[in-house]
Amino acid sequence: MSGARASLERTLAYLKKTFWENLRDWKVLILALVFGPFFVFMMYGYFVAAAPAYTLLVANEDAVAAAGGSRVPAAAAGLLASWRSAQHPDGKPIFNVVPVDDAEAARAKIESRDADLLVRIPEGFSQRLAAFRDRRSGEPAQLTYLADGKNARAAMAMALSDYTAFAYAANLTQAPLPLSVAVQSVGAAQPLDDFEIWVPALLVLALIMVLFTAATALVREVDQGTMARLMLSRLRTGELLAAVSVNQVLVGVVALALTYLSARACGFHGAGSLAVLLVVGAVTTLSVVALSVLTAAFLKSMFELLTVGVFPFFILMFFSECMFPLPKIEVAAIAGHQLYANDVLPTSLCVRAFNKILNCGGGLADVGFEIVAIAALTAVYFALGTWLFRRRHLRV
Amino acid sequence: MTTSGECIALRADGLTKRYGDLVAVDDLSFAVRRGEIFGFLGPNGAGKTTALKMMCGLLRPDAGSVEIAGRPLVAGRGAGASAIGVAPQNAVFWPLLTCREQLEFVGRSHGLTAALARERVAELLAALGLQEKADQLGRTLSGGMQRRLNIALGLVHRPEILLLDEPQAGLDPQSRVLVRDYVRALAGAMTVVITTHDMEEAEKLCQRVCIVDRGRLLALDTVAGIKRQAGEGDRFELELNVDLAAALLPALGELPAAPAVVVKGATLCFAAAGGNELLARVLRVVAERGLGLVQLRMRRATLEDVFIRLTGRGLRE
């Protein structure tokens, strides 16, 4: 038997062994597989399914007093009252109405998403409604909305505000379509809701879970003493790690696919190719396996893995921007691609690649830089992890 | 101590291992002949397991060397891969693999072909009484079965030398007999080194034994040879009908080759070689003095007697 063939056979033998162990350690495996989907449903429930009060900033320029005459209603004040009294079926208020004077400050709140919608009630709004009611004019009164098109809450706030405003004006004027609405957008034009914006990060979260399954495969051998048996066999470190990696990449890709399908079931429409997504996911999973080898080098028992081991997990989770955006610390630029401090974590690059694929329809060429960078980091972490793992667990 | 080089399966020369100030193994030298069952005896903490780890390459000695069939053993991964099989003291197996799966895996990881591994696994499962549990997960086996699986895992690749660390620990009598018979059957075809502090088992199994304590070699020979070396004879215990057996002592002192006597109340204990003649004389003295004999016990010296004499009665770890 040639050396390469013998090596392949030993690797396959270990692959089979680690596969069955992985399957039978069902609690950890199930946790790894459903962690991503669980977060998808949780975020979906949080952002979409809940009934929040939308923050409505109202710049009221309607000067009723100046209009004079008893037949002109204080329409803006009435509209404000309508918004304030609007309720969800469960009795909770739909809007948190906040009158504003400073338009620039209000705009900043929209951009920062501290508020969902800015409504400008123009001067002469009441007079125009009165004229419409009295058939003196066929031109409806106009409201102007300023919103962030990428903010799902803004879309909901606009729809509900429209409904309330039109109902109020129709009742006031006893005429159909007494209002018109102009919409202005802040930020980029592509409209994405919050849930969609979070999906790429949630997909990466599914991959990060592989840190546990991969580290489990290694630490378990140390914990139960079977590493000594492996050391006495002809199995080499590289063969062992190759088998673990192949198995864990499989777990990562399945977890990614399940998470993606869960997101689709919740209404997410990714723009890019699923195949490219899976390619990036597979490379990233390999990098997570490399990090798990590094982690396992420091752990001697499963208890340690479940306690100390959560530390690198949370590092990956928080600093990859899976949970919330981080300030960008520019480190270097390579071939026109900006690298940030947290790009030392391959999952950070993966989040960026997934955003390009899913939100912008990016293809393999568009994420080529990220794939190469993740692969380079994987090589570095594997080299370091293997060296440390050998030193700490395989040295006699 | 040893015979010519070509029939030596394992040779340890000046093995030493220190952990800080503790010398776990202290300049240990011995040789194990090809095909023999060799007992490595010592109390807890004597350094047996440490020595065993150095013998299979899992632990690097601070000094000294190990040779396997004349080849130097270099400590490190796969050092003794094909030549040595190990069954550690604590059963080491994969809880989430079936017996068959893990035995086949170990065979494959040692380079056996799939067919050969399957064949070998079937043999071992039958020989160690695990056929019916072949497809059960390791974690579902009883303690005794796990220990038998532990032994099978050390044998699956047909090693030249099998190192068994306390193989009888935790086994029920039936399993002990099964394992003992199996190990006995291995003799000749395979060299077996057994570490134990079960003297009875060592006497039954081993052709030669060495006794170590505090990392040092105290004796090495056949069981009979060790007993002779230690000058041990037969053991006698006479229980008399008087409270003070010392009444008999002066008479015993007059006997030739007076043995060391221990008096425990009405019981008199002594050990002496050529016991039958001595016993006749003692009984004569008992009769002459009109003392009543309640009970007489006589037994041959055991390895345990030698072991206790060499290593002392003090408790260890």
Side-chain angles (χ1 to χ4, degrees), chain A residues 21 24 221 229 231 235 237, chain B residues 77-78 94 96 101 150:
Chain A
E21 282 185 322
R24 286 163 188 162
E221 301 284 13
R229 286 212 182 279
M231 288 168 72
L235 193 78
T237 311
Chain B
R77 291 209 65 209
W94 286 272
L96 296 171
E101 285 168 347
N150 184 45

Side-chain angles (χ1 to χ4, degrees), chain A residues 246-275:
Chain A
V246 170
N247 188 50
Q248 296 303 323
V249 167
L250 185 67
V251 171
V253 169
V254 171
L256 177 63
L258 281 175
T259 309
Y260 179 77
L261 292 174
S262 302
R264 291 294 295 259
C266 292
F268 173 74
H269 296 289
S273 148
L274 177 61

Side-chain angles (χ1 to χ4, degrees), chain A residues 1 9-10 13-14 17 21 24-25 220-221 224-226 228-237 394 396, chain B residues 56-58 60 75-78 81-82 86 88 92-97 101 105 108-110 137 150 153-154:
Chain A
M1 198 186 302
E9 291 209 357
R10 288 194 295 270
Y14 195 87
K17 174 245 177 210
E21 282 185 322
R24 286 163 188 162
D25 202 356
R220 185 163 43 203
E221 301 284 13
Q224 66 198 12
T226 43
R229 286 212 182 279
L230 300 178
M231 288 168 72
L232 287 169
S233 77
R234 294 181 180 179
L235 193 78
R236 298 191 182 99
T237 311
L394 302 175
V396 296
Chain B
C56 65
L58 279 177
R60 197 183 303 277
R77 291 209 65 209
S82 56
V86 180
V92 170
F93 59 94
W94 286 272
L96 296 171
L97 295 183
E101 285 168 347
F105 162 67
R108 301 283 283 142
S109 71
H110 277 281
L137 298 184
N150 184 45
L153 286 166

Side-chain angles (χ1 to χ4, degrees), chain A residues 29-265:
Chain A
L29 182 64
I30 285 182
L31 179 67
L33 294 179
V34 306
F35 193 80
F38 170 78
F39 267 84
V40 165
F41 288 117
M42 203 179 79
M43 297 294 267
Y44 175 76
Y46 185 82
F47 283 110
V48 181
Y54 297 96
T55 300
L56 215 62
L57 307 180
V58 181
N60 184 5
E61 297 163 7
D62 185 31
V64 179
S70 60
R71 297 188 69 232
V72 176
L79 187 53
L80 277 163
S82 292
W83 280 324
R84 284 195 174 109
S85 62
Q87 291 180 341
H88 286 291
D90 61 2
K92 290 178 183 169
I94 293 177
F95 300 110
N96 171 30
V97 180
V98 182
V100 295
D101 297 325
D102 185 343
E104 277 309 303
R107 185 185 179 91
K109 283 192 173 182
I110 295 297
E111 287 174 346
S112 66
R113 300 191 183 181
D114 290 333
D116 299 303
L117 185 64
L118 169 64
V119 184
R120 180 172 163 265
I121 305 176
E123 187 180 348
F125 179 76
S126 294
Q127 286 88 338
R128 195 173 287 273
L129 273 183
F132 196 85
R133 180 193 61 187
D134 299 339
R135 307 294 189 265
R136 286 182 281 114
S137 166
E139 195 175 336
Q142 192 179 56
L143 294 174
T144 304
Y145 289 166
L146 185 71
D148 179 354
K150 298 188 295 297
N151 186 349
R153 289 171 57 87
M156 287 296 290
M158 280 192 281
L160 292 166
S161 169
D162 273 357
Y163 178 82
T164 308
F166 272 81
Y168 168 77
N171 184 49
L172 187 73
T173 59
Q174 296 299 309
L177 299 174
L179 285 177
S180 69
V181 174
V183 179
Q184 297 173 355
S185 183
V186 297
Q190 190 184 15
L192 291 173
D193 63 32
D194 270 2
F195 174 65
E196 287 175 312
I197 289 165
W198 277 110
V199 167
L202 292 173
L203 295 177
V204 177
L205 207 56
L207 302 181
I208 291 175
M209 277 308 290
V210 169
L211 186 84
F212 277 119
T213 53
T216 295
L218 296 169
V219 175
R220 185 163 43 203
E221 301 284 13
V222 178
D223 195 18
Q224 66 198 12
T226 43
M227 189 59 83
R229 286 212 182 279
L230 300 178
M231 288 168 72
L232 287 169
S233 77
R234 294 181 180 179
L235 193 78
R236 298 191 182 99
T237 311
E239 294 164 356
L240 187 155
L241 293 180
V244 168
S245 300
V246 170
N247 188 50
Q248 296 303 323
V249 167
L250 185 67
V251 171
V253 169
V254 171
L256 177 63
L258 281 175
T259 309
Y260 179 77
L261 292 174
S262 302
R264 291 294 295 259

Side-chain angles (χ1 to χ4, degrees), chain A residues 237 241 293 297 381-392:
Chain A
T237 311
L241 293 180
V293 175
Y381 288 130
F382 252 124
L384 187 61
T386 305
W387 177 72
L388 271 170
F389 192 82
R390 290 184 66 138
R391 267 186 75 84
R392 294 182 60 87

Side-chain angles (χ1 to χ4, degrees), chain B residues 14-37:
Chain B
L15 277 186
T16 302
K17 187 69 189 177
R18 295 184 191 86
Y19 295 104
D21 293 336
L22 174 74
V23 183
V25 175
D26 189 1
D27 195 24
L28 197 60
S29 298
F30 62 91
V32 182
R33 295 171 190 149
R34 186 164 294 162
E36 79 172 327
I37 302 178

